Amino acid sequence: MRVNEPITNHEIELPEGTVLVSKTDPQGRITFVNQAFIDISGYTEEELIGAPHNLVRHPHMPPAAFADLWATIKSGKPWEGIVKNRAKNGDHYWVRANATPEITDGEITGFISIRSAPSRAQIDAAEKLYEQIRNGTARNITVTEGRVLGTTLAARLGRLANSITGRLTVIIAVLVMVMILGMGAVLDGMGDSNEALRAVYEHRTVPAGQLADVVDRMRDNLLNAQLLQDELAASNSLGVQKRIARIRANRDHIGAVWQTYRSNPLTEEEKELADEFEQARKSYVSNGLEVAISLAEAKDLEGLRGHSADTLHQLFEEAHQAARSLVLLQLRVAGELYEDAKTDFRHHMRLGFTFLVSGTLLAVLLAVLLVRFLRKPLARLERHFNAIAAGDFVHEIEIEAVAEFQRPNAQLRAMKAKLGYAALERQENAAKAEAHLKKEMLKLTVLLEGEVETTVAEISTQADRLREGAAKLLATAEELQAQSQSMATAIEITSGNVQTVAGATEELEASSREITARIQHSSEYSEAARQRVDAASASVGTLTEATARIGDVASLIQAIAGQTRMLALNATIEAARAGETGKGFAVVASEVKGLAGQTEDAIGRVNAQAQDIERTTREAVTTVEAVAETIRDIDAIAGQVAESAEQQRAATAEIMASAVQAADHTREVAHTAASVLHGAEMTGTTARKVNELSALVSHDIGALQRRLNVILRTSYGGNRRAVERVPVSVEFSAEFGDQRFSGQTGDISVMGALLVVGNAPKLEGAMGTITFPGVGTIPSKAILGSQLGIQCQFVKVSKDQKQAITDAIEAAKARDLPYIQAAQQTAAKVATALEKAVADGRISLGDLFDNDYVPIPDTDPLQLLAKHTALTDLLLPDIIDTELARDPRVVLCCASDRNGYIATHNRKYSEPQRPGDKLWNMAHSRNRRIFDDRTGILASRNTQPYLAQTYVRDMGGGQFMLLKEIDCPIMVGSRHWGALRYALKL
């Protein structure tokens, strides 16, 4: 026998519900194993296929068990027993093994084996037995077809008593005994009845007959004695003789009968009556009949008549009375015997009925016990058949204790093994094919995720670059706008200055004309002075006044000249700022500046001359000649002044022309600057739009990635879970090392759960326990931590715990039912309102389902407008806020379109945003936003009657709220518009 070493004495517990399946060829080489067999054995599939099945034999298994196994299955019978197997690393695991031969055309073509987890009691019993067999301390036992049987007489009798044959034997023996007793009572009663009948017949009926015969004969003799009279009267001697002979024959016959009667056993009373009758009969014979015969023979007719009338009848009556007493006695005694017989008959009838009833009741009882005895294995067979029909191939078919059912039981186990093997083989092959397909799809999913991430990253990079370019363009546009604004302001100032220069030039020209006129007046005064030398006094006064006016004019011209120089300086500066455009204006400004300087010089000279005139005028009082000379000088100076004034007038006209030309150029520059400013404003607006669009593109790219991730992870290929979880909330408390926390599940199955907790700790790979009320504590492993919570896998779940988890899921569904109904009703109200709005023409279907969202500027988080926003603001608040106020546990009730866009939220979450306060905005301004996280996408895209989700909502500041959300689809007509999101606080 193969010995597999080493061993570790460490037991691996086969998980409840796990089935190990294998198949071997007729030589015991493995041709098929399922994944569970591979996992627990520690061997690879390549190491197992083609290897002898005793590769997993544990050295503690006694050879007798395997000898019985091979002897049984090679004879074409199934074998079942508790087996200890060895894993590759030396550990061991216990299984309840069923080995069944596969027969084709009467030939064994292989063996199939299906194994499941035994109970701890079965393991302990098998361990103890196998140790006794190995130690040689096992006595009076044998192993047959996997069953351990005792070989003692008591064990054999016990097996016989636990069989239909044994019980039927006992039942038949008991019934035969009851029948014998009943028949004995009946036969005894029949004997007593026969004896009573015999006694009545022999001792009462026959004697009564004898007495009747005696009385009849005595009556016949009385009649014959009467007839003797007739015969005598007729003198018929022959007739007399015949009558006498008859009387004597009757007499003799009566004597013989009487003797026979007296030979019967008589009672004392009967003896007394018999003696009385015998005496009366003898007296009747001797004193009556003999006398009558004598009289007849003597032919004494009268004597005979007298004797007959007086004596014979009297004697007959006495004898007849005695006989009658005997007959009555016989009848009375016969009646007493009848009553005794009747009483005895009743006694025996009761006894017989008692045995009959007892036998019947016993038979019924035994039949009931037998039926109940038969019903148990039949019920077990029925339960086994039901389990097999339900596909429960881990169901244990116990070895039947009733001998007659052991063969059908074994065949049933063989059938279960074959059906289970066929089903599990198909399941395993399908699982392998599915795993292969899923592996390939998962590879494709991972590859697609990588490509999506790469593409999204590239697009995001380009979007970032676009956003950076837009930002630079916006900054440049803003700078250009500022510069254009500054230039426009400067041009406006320049234009004003030029206008001022033009105005000043006009004033200068007017002053020049006035100076010229005044010079002409001075000439006229000089001429008048020459002509009117005689009127010196008056002329001196006039000259003094003119001299004063000349001073005023000179001061005015000097002020204008200074102002003109300042204007020329400003024009020069603005011309320098204007660049190429202001070159011509700079030349004009330079000329104006020069003319202003000349004007100031001339005015200085005029002022000096005026002072001289004033001084000369003051000296005119002294001498007229001096006055005349002075007048001549004034005339000469007036000529010069007139010439200078004419030159100033010409220069002023040139300045005026240049100023007008400069004003025209300034207006053109101002118009161009306004165009530049408008272009800068348009550039800024475009840059701002590009920046907003780039932010929207970046947001949409991120949303696309999240949506693709959700779609891929919830798809067939991307879903890594073996058992689908149900999104219900079940209370739990968990302990992983020194981490302890509690909360509600986001989803749960019999294989694992999502633990929803705020600020979930990082526990990937940690081992711990999770406790559910009503379920118990389950050893678990933390698989993944995310913003949703902690994904955990149950390490070992008992059958009872699985059922309890199933019950808890159903109970949670029942608790959610009122909220599900409320959410569905509210979703129907929203759908009805939208359909009515479309029917009334308030919005078209295209606009209702349009997904072109327009960003709202300067919002953080970004808010957007859709074509249906205004409509939902009018229709939905009364519906959703009414439902929100109905139950204090409900924290939100809103409608989302298919893209996660919530145009209209509850009023308390629809406050205007506060600029610069993003955290406040996130909590209080939740309308007009797209919620395309995992919860939002699953809610918005759900088309099932409802979807339940449990998650933690971050309230900020380290505060978290555990929410249960129920999402129901909103159908407008036959199209899926979105979902109603209905959340309550747990």
Side-chain angles (χ1 to χ4, degrees), residues 817-837:
L817 185 58
Y819 297 103
I820 293 171
Q821 293 174 344
Q824 290 175 334
Q825 292 171 0
T826 307
K829 292 179 182 177
V830 173
T832 302
L834 295 178
E835 288 176 347
K836 188 175 185 303

Side-chain angles (χ1 to χ4, degrees), residues 220-229 247 289 292 304 308 312:
D220 186 64
N221 283 342
L222 179 61
L223 180 59
N224 286 325
Q226 293 292 336
L227 292 176
L228 282 176
Q229 297 178 25
I247 289 171
L289 292 178
L304 181 59
S308 177
L312 186 60

Side-chain angles (χ1 to χ4, degrees), residues 4-283:
N4 294 319
E5 296 287 352
I7 58 175
T8 62
N9 292 326
H10 176 262
E11 181 181 355
I12 305 173
E13 292 189 10
L14 185 64
E16 186 74 22
T18 302
V19 179
L20 310 181
V21 174
S22 64
K23 183 179 180 181
T24 64
D25 60 15
Q27 287 72 40
R29 291 186 294 269
I30 299 174
T31 60
F32 173 81
V33 290
N34 67 341
Q35 187 61 43
F37 188 103
I38 296 172
D39 294 339
I40 198 167
S41 68
Y43 293 97
T44 64
E45 186 174 7
E46 292 74 16
E47 291 175 319
L48 291 171
I49 299 299
H53 204 286
N54 58 12
L55 178 70
V56 295
R57 178 184 294 174
H58 197 279
H60 287 177
M61 283 298 297
F66 285 102
D68 175 64
L69 164 66
W70 283 108
T72 302
I73 60 177
K74 286 185 176 180
S75 66
K77 301 175 184 177
W79 184 93
E80 183 165 316
I82 307 300
V83 177
K84 186 178 185 180
N85 285 338
R86 176 186 175 274
K88 183 177 181 179
N89 62 356
D91 297 342
H92 67 272
Y93 56 94
W94 288 91
V95 295
R96 186 176 66 249
N98 179 285
T100 302
E102 207 172 32
I103 301 175
T104 305
D105 297 330
E107 296 291 333
I108 296 177
T109 58
F111 306 100
I112 61 176
S113 180
I114 181 169
R115 305 168 184 83
S116 57
S119 66
R120 179 50 55 182
Q122 290 173 327
I123 294 174
D124 295 340
E127 184 79 65
K128 182 178 180 181
L129 175 64
Y130 294 160
E131 184 178 2
Q132 290 175 350
I133 293 175
R134 291 196 306 271
N135 297 337
T137 58
R139 296 287 187 271
N140 300 320
I141 62 171
T142 183
V143 180
T144 303
E145 298 181 10
R147 295 180 295 129
V148 180
L149 304 176
T151 57
T152 62
L153 178 61
R156 294 177 186 273
L157 290 176
R159 289 195 295 273
L160 180 63
N162 203 30
S163 65
I164 298 175
T165 301
R167 298 203 174 206
L168 282 176
T169 301
V170 172
I171 291 172
I172 292 172
V174 171
L175 291 179
V176 167
M177 185 178 297
V178 172
M179 184 179 66
I180 291 174
L181 293 174
M183 287 297 295
V186 171
L187 291 175
D188 183 62
M190 289 177 64
D192 292 343
S193 297
N194 288 337
E195 182 63 28
L197 289 174
R198 186 188 65 78
V200 170
Y201 174 73
E202 292 181 355
H203 302 297
R204 297 294 174 258
T205 304
V206 172
Q210 292 172 343
L211 290 173
D213 187 25
V214 169
V215 171
D216 287 342
R217 296 281 183 170
M218 289 175 62
R219 185 176 288 110
D220 186 64
N221 283 342
L222 179 61
L223 180 59
N224 286 325
Q226 293 292 336
L227 292 176
L228 282 176
Q229 297 178 25
D230 295 336
E231 294 295 341
L232 285 174
S235 299
N236 186 1
S237 300
L238 182 60
V240 171
Q241 292 300 321
K242 287 182 178 180
R243 297 295 177 185
I244 292 173
R246 181 131 182 198
I247 289 171
R248 288 177 177 168
N250 287 335
R251 182 196 62 193
D252 294 338
H253 179 74
I254 288 171
V257 172
W258 180 252
Q259 289 301 322
T260 302
Y261 173 78
R262 292 298 299 259
S263 63
N264 293 325
L266 303 175
T267 63
E268 294 297 328
E269 183 182 3
E270 189 177 5
K271 287 180 181 180
E272 293 179 359
L273 293 175
D275 290 340
E276 292 178 359
F277 173 74
E278 187 173 1
Q279 290 177 2
R281 184 187 66 81
K282 288 181 178 180
S283 176

